[in-house]
Amino acid sequence: MKLKKNLGLWQLPVFQNAYYWFILPLAIVFIALICGLIYNSSGNRFSGFANVGIDFAGGTVLTVEVNGVGFIDGGNYDKNLAIIEEIVEKHGAKVSSSQTGGSNSIIVRYKNEVVIDGEAHDYNSAANTEKMIAVNDAITSELETKFKSEYSNAEVNANVEMINATASKELINKALLSVSIALVLMLIYIVIRFDFYSGIAAICAEFHDILMLLALVVIFRVQINSSLIAGIITIVSYCINNTIVIFDRVREEVKPYKQNRARIDVRAIVNTSVTNTLTRTIYSSVSTLLTIVILAACGVPALTEFSLPIIFGLLAGFYSSNFIAPSIWGLLMNAKQNAERKANKSKKYAKAR
């Protein structure tokens, strides 16, 4: 795509390619659907359309704390985590994620599903809570015995916290409510500060960012848990900033047209606004992206789970702020002006008759 020169400025041809900007998001959604169907099919190593963590699917959080020794120092973390995973799997469960907790504990999560004689049993329902409690008691008891023998002079504690289906449903409802409230407040703010079409375009861009984030999470099998909700709220609040900067420029470009009561040149306004703010948007996005990439690459699973969705959201936010939101605003404004022009022509025609 070539840049076009207008009034001495190199401008991105954003508006004249408005419909093309929607192709990439649609393609990503399509790929996510295909990947999800493949992951959900039988006979592969994945289970389910998406990699849903215990925060939403229900499960158990197991914390093993050993005081007085270097429980996670050096190579002890990998060694002790392997012991925990072995004992958990011995009792039919399977560790889905792990992390350190302070300087002397390891936290692992696993679903309330137990494999007995090759057959999987779902213990996540209220009716099977007692069965899962018995499994967890056996796991904690064996872990305490094992680590007391490994570290004879240390204090060993193994504790579990169960998250059932009711708790996970409540978490989902709270997450949806939080994101919905944030979007509504943003819409009100943008409509008051700019105009109704800017508000619609900005909210569409936010939905785009969330959809792209979720699609990429499905494609790359990132675990869907409470960290993802934190990432979504972070992206919603961060990416709207770049969109507001562009719409602030749009408002300044529109003022002369309104003062002269002239038809707004939507194409010129969109292209000029995006081009003039592009450098600022690139700098802010890249600087934030570098920080998050470092967090994702540090090797801590909990930070990686939090960082990857934000990386996806930042890339989606840069795209939507510069191409999706301005294009939607331009299309809506063009439609409004065309409707007004037809209405005026109809009035003139009626008067002439």
Side-chain angles (χ1 to χ4, degrees):
M1 188 177 295
K2 297 181 179 179
L3 296 175
K4 294 189 177 180
K5 196 172 183 180
N6 184 25
L7 300 177
L9 295 174
W10 289 100
Q11 294 188 325
L12 284 169
V14 177
F15 184 69
Q16 53 266 51
N17 296 289
Y19 292 106
Y20 293 107
W21 303 125
F22 300 104
I23 295 176
L24 179 60
L26 291 174
I28 292 175
V29 170
F30 178 75
I31 293 171
L33 290 174
I34 296 299
C35 289
L37 292 174
I38 293 173
Y39 299 150
N40 198 46
S41 64
S42 59
N44 62 63
R45 62 191 181 91
F46 300 111
S47 58
F49 186 89
N51 183 16
V52 181
I54 68 168
D55 293 347
F56 292 145
T60 298
V61 180
L62 168 65
T63 303
V64 181
E65 182 178 6
V66 180
N67 296 308
V69 295
F71 186 57
I72 60 175
D73 294 341
N76 286 340
Y77 173 78
D78 293 332
K79 182 189 75 172
N80 293 325
L81 176 59
I83 293 173
I84 295 171
E85 290 177 339
E86 181 183 353
I87 292 176
V88 170
E89 291 179 7
K90 176 182 175 182
H91 291 275
K94 185 176 181 180
V95 173
S96 59
S97 67
S98 62
Q99 66 184 80
T100 58
S103 60
N104 58 355
S105 61
I106 297 176
I107 302 172
V108 300
R109 293 173 169 82
Y110 50 88
K111 294 181 180 180
N112 293 336
E113 296 177 354
V114 176
V115 177
I116 302 175
D117 297 328
E119 184 179 354
H121 298 268
D122 185 5
Y123 287 170
N124 202 43
S125 64
N128 293 320
T129 299
E130 293 298 327
K131 294 180 180 178
M132 195 64 210
I133 290 175
V135 172
N136 286 333
D137 287 344
I139 290 173
T140 55
S141 177
E142 187 168 344
L143 283 171
E144 288 180 351
T145 301
K146 176 65 177 179
F147 284 119
K148 282 178 181 178
S149 65
E150 289 281 330
Y151 304 99
S152 56
N153 297 323
E155 179 185 350
V156 180
N157 292 298
N159 300 300
V160 295
E161 177 187 359
M162 290 178 58
I163 302 174
N164 57 28
T166 302
S168 61
K169 184 179 180 180
E170 183 180 352
L171 179 61
I172 293 173
N173 291 336
K174 287 181 178 179
L176 291 174
L177 180 62
S178 299
V179 174
S180 300
I181 290 174
L183 291 174
V184 170
L185 292 177
M186 286 178 186
L187 175 61
I188 294 172
Y189 169 76
I190 295 173
V191 169
I192 293 173
R193 181 173 176 181
F194 301 109
D195 57 65
F196 180 72
Y197 294 136
S198 296
I200 295 298
I203 294 303
C204 288
E206 290 297 312
F207 277 117
H208 163 274
D209 298 343
I210 295 172
L211 183 61
M212 291 301 98
L213 188 157
L214 294 175
L216 292 170
V217 161
V218 170
I219 292 172
F220 292 101
R221 297 294 292 177
V222 178
Q223 189 172 101
I224 298 176
N225 52 27
S226 54
S227 295
L228 177 65
I229 300 303
I232 290 175
I233 295 175
T234 301
I235 288 303
V236 167
S237 58
Y238 178 85
C239 292
I240 195 65
N241 185 53
N242 288 335
T243 305
I244 288 176
V245 169
I246 293 175
F247 280 143
D248 190 61
R249 184 66 184 181
V250 168
R251 181 178 58 180
E252 295 301 316
E253 294 290 333
V254 168
K255 280 182 179 179
Y257 292 93
K258 289 186 175 180
Q259 290 171 355
N260 297 321
R261 296 184 178 180
R263 178 181 172 85
I264 297 174
D265 188 346
V266 173
R267 173 173 169 172
I269 288 173
V270 169
N271 292 349
T272 301
S273 300
V274 173
T275 303
N276 290 348
T277 57
L278 184 62
T279 301
R280 183 259 181 207
T281 306
I282 290 175
Y283 286 162
S284 62
S285 299
V286 170
S287 59
T288 307
L289 191 61
L290 287 175
T291 305
I292 301 300
V293 167
I294 292 172
L295 284 177
C298 72
V300 180
L303 288 178
T304 302
E305 288 178 2
F306 174 72
S307 302
L308 282 177
I310 293 182
I311 292 173
F312 299 152
L314 286 173
L315 295 174
F318 176 83
Y319 186 84
S320 66
S321 295
N322 288 283
F323 305 113
I324 300 295
S327 296
I328 292 176
W329 178 87
L331 293 171
L332 291 173
M333 186 59 68
N334 248 1
K336 175 190 174 184
Q337 292 188 131
N338 290 336
E340 289 176 347
R341 184 172 60 180
K342 288 181 180 179
N344 291 333
K345 284 184 177 180
S346 298
K347 288 180 181 179
K348 290 179 181 179
Y349 180 75
K351 286 182 180 180
R353 294 185 61 184

